[in-house]
Amino acid sequence: MKKKNIQEYRLQNLSCANCAMKFEKNVQSIPTVEEVQLNFGAAKLTVKGDASIEQLCAAGAFDGIKVVPASSKEETNTLFYKKKENILAGISLLFVIAGYLMGALQGENHIITIGLFLIAIIIGGYTIFKDGFRNLLHFDFDMKTLMTIAVIGAAIVGEWKEGAVVVFLFAVSEALEAYSMNKARQSIRQLMDIAPATALVRRKGQVVELATEDVQIGDILIVKPGQKIAMDGEIINGMSTVNQAPITGESIPVKKEVGDEVFAGTLNEEGALEITVTKHVKDTTIAKIINLVEEAQAEKAPSQKFVDRFAKYYTPAIIIVAIIVGIVPPLIVGDWHHWIYQGLAVLVVGCPCALVISTPVAIVTAIGNAARQGVLIKGGIHLEQLGHIKVIAFDKTGTLTKGVPEVTNVLAFQDTSEELLIQLVAGVEHSSQHPLAKAVLNYANNRSISSVKGTDFQSVTGKGAYATVDNQQIFVGSVQWIQEMMEIPTIILKEIESLQCEGKSVIVVASKNSLLGIIAIADQVRSNCNNVLQNLKSIGISNTVILTGDAQTTAKAIAQQLHITDVKADLLPEDKLNAMKELQKQYGVVAMVGDGVNDAPALAAASVGIAMGGAGTDTALETADVALMADDLGKLPYTIRLSRKTLRIIKENIMFALGLKILALLLIIPGWLTLWIAIFADMGATLLVVLNSLRLIRIQK
């Protein structure tokens, strides 16, 4: 089967949401294009099929949209003073000023005055009229169509001066809209510029500088102090501190040595490093982050879907109102000139620019800000859901705790010595990836206790594991599991309970016929957990829950230490899923914080799944709705504050966009609505929406 030809492109000068939809339709109409997807927030185009850049540029020529390959480092937007429409607007302003001067000298109805205003209208409105007339023929009533009708109508009724001023002010409004989207998209451009475009590579004994696209897996990178690391890889020589802020949002440098993983775009601060490349440039962590952020900005939030549906009926409704205003009152009271003029002003008020841009500009800004802070939010819907969170469920191990448990107590029974007990357990756990197993293996290594690797290893999900060690079958697991096989004496159960009350996990060791001993393991609580949970309560997260596979007493000890309100323990993976569903029935919108691997079912079922340590875990990046790129819970309160602020700003934007227009429309009643007021209402709403959304840039951790 032939592989589909899929190409990605960056778009220049894409600032109008309506124009973006029209451009997408134009590209789809190219015969050789099978499918097209336009990401307005990221100014990115994905095309399935065959289409040349010339064809794509032609599809966007109506609004000056230019197309460049996605890999291009070319500046993605034309400078303000170089844009054709802005140059024409500037020339138009000169003729408007000249018209005013001539009007003051010769009167507004003088032929030279009218001529100057007419030239201003033609020059400033050339691109508007060209598209407006074409749209009118196809009954496509976008904002340029409405402006075309309004300005020509103003000229017909003799309002040359206002027609000229409206054309200029509309150009100013368009420029503001373009500025706002460019400002909001800066977060993506900054991410794209993080990783260097070239790398020093040692090949066949020679050090050469290569474009990152030409670097292969297995190549050796040479990174000097003060240089950025160009590719993801593993250190094979050297030691240094690396500033990982671009990826994780944490400004404190991290010590790196041989065997440690490093990321493209991070800064090597002190020592020289040699790094084996482990990923191609398109697969690096920063590349994935950029791709996921762009996809997130393309995904429409519920509020944006509502606005899009509303706008679909809003524009036709405004046209009907304009026709009614222009025709009905003069049939009753006369004065056709006045009421037709009022109807034209209604058309200008009806431009949906501010309304359409009200939600996407806020979401693009918020998601970009979060990405710079080391928080990956994978869509507007998740951003909005976070704002409604009242309950957060936490996995315990690796989330509330450091995830590096240590053996604290070893109790051997009968003729078994402590050393032999550790040998047997280490023999079973050699093949296990469980954190508690690693704790026992580390304990054995630190005390130079040698062991024989067990055979016939079997893991029992949520219960433990067993293997044959020294010709006997050894079982290592939870208290409940061992109790299914044999009776545990009351005195030992009391000892286990005492250890669990201290917040320690207890594993029991047994052979087929007898109990051999118990091992207590403690995982230390993260140092900032108390502060994080206090911050969450201060912002209204009144209920917090632990969902863990650990014993009830162990989980309760952690909950008491951190003042967590509820505990659900002894849970298998499917039990965590059911517990999450119960929480949602009880509270509605519930978030789950986990590691993105063991907690995958619960994370997927949660209203918002939040994964820890996304920078080093592909699974977290792929499965979670939100990824905290640093292994740091401290980002959680910031993320919730950002989402709530975004929700408030979206609501404010919709109020600004509709409120100013409603106020302007109310001026029809006394007959005070003018084209000037109409265009200022539209431009003012756009400006308010833009500036209000850009406030989200200032929100920091």
Side-chain angles (χ1 to χ4, degrees), residues 114-421:
I114 293 173
L116 289 170
F117 285 132
L118 177 60
I119 293 170
I121 290 171
I122 293 171
I123 292 174
Y126 168 73
T127 55
I128 300 171
F129 302 148
K130 186 176 68 173
D131 296 322
F133 281 123
R134 184 164 57 242
N135 294 345
L136 199 56
L137 293 174
H138 295 92
F139 296 97
D140 181 7
F141 292 96
D142 67 0
M143 58 185 179
K144 289 187 178 180
T145 313
L146 300 182
M147 287 299 300
T148 299
I149 296 170
V151 173
I152 291 174
I156 290 172
V157 298
E159 298 290 344
W160 298 97
K161 176 175 67 177
E162 292 204 19
V165 173
V166 163
V167 164
F168 169 71
L169 291 177
F170 181 71
V172 173
S173 178
E174 291 273 271
L176 284 173
E177 194 173 355
Y179 169 79
S180 70
M181 287 311 302
N182 290 340
K183 189 76 174 174
R185 290 176 183 135
Q186 278 183 0
S187 57
I188 294 179
R189 288 200 294 275
Q190 287 169 353
L191 286 174
M192 291 174 67
D193 292 338
I194 284 173
T198 61
L200 283 177
V201 177
R202 179 184 291 132
R203 278 187 182 172
K204 298 178 182 178
Q206 292 187 332
V207 177
V208 293
E209 186 173 4
L210 299 175
T212 50
E213 290 82 3
D214 299 327
V215 177
Q216 300 298 316
I217 292 175
D219 279 343
I220 307 298
L221 294 187
I222 307 297
V223 185
K224 299 174 183 177
Q227 289 184 336
K228 281 188 176 181
I229 297 169
M231 305 285 287
D232 282 12
E234 184 179 308
I235 297 173
I236 58 170
N237 189 23
M239 184 173 67
S240 184
T241 54
V242 175
N243 188 331
Q244 300 188 139
I247 303 293
T248 66
E250 294 299 315
S251 57
I252 299 173
V254 179
K255 183 181 178 182
K256 297 285 185 177
E257 53 192 17
V258 174
D260 286 342
E261 184 181 20
V262 290
F263 305 113
T266 56
L267 179 66
N268 177 30
E269 293 197 336
E270 294 177 354
L273 297 175
E274 292 186 11
I275 300 164
T276 298
V277 175
T278 55
K279 294 178 183 176
H280 289 114
V281 66
K282 67 179 186 299
D283 299 322
T284 60
T285 300
I286 189 64
K288 286 184 178 179
I289 292 171
I290 292 166
N291 187 54
L292 289 169
V293 168
E294 290 177 335
E295 288 178 3
Q297 293 177 333
E299 183 185 334
K300 291 186 177 179
S303 58
Q304 189 173 348
K305 290 177 181 176
F306 163 76
V307 167
D308 288 347
R309 286 196 302 271
F310 182 83
K312 183 179 178 182
Y313 302 103
Y314 168 82
T315 304
I318 284 291
I319 293 171
I320 292 169
V321 170
I323 293 170
I324 292 171
V325 169
I327 295 176
V328 175
L331 287 175
I332 299 170
V333 300
D335 197 355
W336 285 88
H337 178 280
H338 172 76
W339 288 108
I340 288 174
Y341 176 82
Q342 292 281 291
L344 295 173
V346 169
L347 282 181
V348 176
V349 170
C351 287
C353 307
L355 181 63
V356 172
I357 206 174
S358 62
T359 302
V361 72
I363 287 175
V364 167
T365 305
I367 289 176
N369 181 11
R372 289 199 307 276
Q373 297 292 325
V375 179
L376 181 61
I377 302 173
K378 292 172 62 178
I381 185 170
H382 308 307
L383 183 67
E384 287 201 14
Q385 285 280 60
L386 274 168
H388 299 299
I389 291 293
K390 294 294 182 186
V391 179
I392 300 179
F394 295 91
D395 172 47
K396 183 181 77 69
T397 306
T399 302
L400 294 174
T401 61
K402 295 177 181 177
V404 186
E406 298 176 354
V407 173
T408 59
N409 305 80
V410 179
L411 299 177
F413 306 140
Q414 299 179 6
D415 297 329
T416 308
S417 66
E418 288 189 10
E419 184 173 338
L420 177 58
L421 186 69

Side-chain angles (χ1 to χ4, degrees), residues 35-98:
E35 189 179 328
V36 58
Q37 183 180 6
L38 192 149
N39 182 335
F40 175 65
K44 187 177 179 182
L45 181 73
T46 303
V47 177
K48 182 187 286 185
D50 294 312
S52 66
I53 287 183
E54 288 74 20
Q55 286 176 300
L56 298 175
C57 285
F62 71 93
D63 197 44
I65 300 169
K66 295 182 180 178
V67 184
V68 296
S71 58
S72 172
K73 297 292 183 181
E74 183 181 340
E75 172 60 42
T76 54
N77 288 288
T78 308
L79 292 173
F80 176 84
Y81 58 85
K82 290 186 177 180
K83 285 188 176 181
K84 178 183 175 183
E85 56 269 34
N86 292 344
I87 294 171
L88 292 176
I91 297 171
S92 174
L93 176 61
L94 295 177
F95 280 98
V96 168
I97 294 170

Side-chain angles (χ1 to χ4, degrees), residues 5 33-34 87 93 98 113 188 243 335 375 394 432 435 446 489 521 531 534 638 648 665 685:
N5 181 26
V33 170
E34 297 174 38
I87 294 171
L93 176 61
T113 304
I188 294 179
N243 188 331
D335 197 355
V375 179
F394 295 91
S432 176
N446 292 338
I521 298 170
N531 285 337
Q534 286 174 9
Y638 151 78
R648 285 201 300 273
L665 290 173

Side-chain angles (χ1 to χ4, degrees), residues 410-531:
V410 179
L411 299 177
F413 306 140
Q414 299 179 6
D415 297 329
T416 308
S417 66
E418 288 189 10
E419 184 173 338
L420 177 58
L421 186 69
I422 294 296
Q423 280 181 335
L424 292 173
V425 176
V428 174
E429 304 288 22
H430 261 300
S431 302
S432 176
Q433 296 301 313
H434 195 281
L436 299 185
K438 290 182 180 178
V440 175
L441 293 172
N442 289 337
Y443 184 85
N445 290 333
N446 292 338
R447 283 157 182 75
S448 302
I449 299 174
S450 59
S451 62
V452 178
K453 185 176 180 181
T455 57
D456 302 324
F457 172 83
Q458 290 292 325
S459 176
V460 183
T461 304
K463 295 182 177 182
Y466 61 91
T468 301
V469 184
D470 287 340
N471 298 319
Q472 60 178 327
Q473 202 166 34
I474 302 298
F475 298 85
V476 180
S478 67
V479 178
Q480 292 85 347
W481 186 45
I482 301 300
Q483 278 183 311
E484 292 173 11
M485 303 178 204
M486 62 186 68
E487 185 178 351
I488 299 177
T490 305
I491 189 169
I492 295 175
L493 287 175
K494 286 183 177 178
E495 182 66 35
I496 290 171
E497 186 179 347
S498 174
L499 291 168
Q500 288 175 335
C501 286
E502 295 173 14
K504 296 173 182 178
S505 299
V506 178
I507 57 175
V508 182
V509 187
S511 65
K512 233 174 184 181
N513 304 314
S514 62
L515 200 63
L516 301 178
I518 59 175
I519 299 174
I521 298 170
D523 188 2
Q524 300 301 312
V525 171
R526 290 175 182 268
S527 58
N528 65 342
C529 263
N530 264 312
N531 285 337

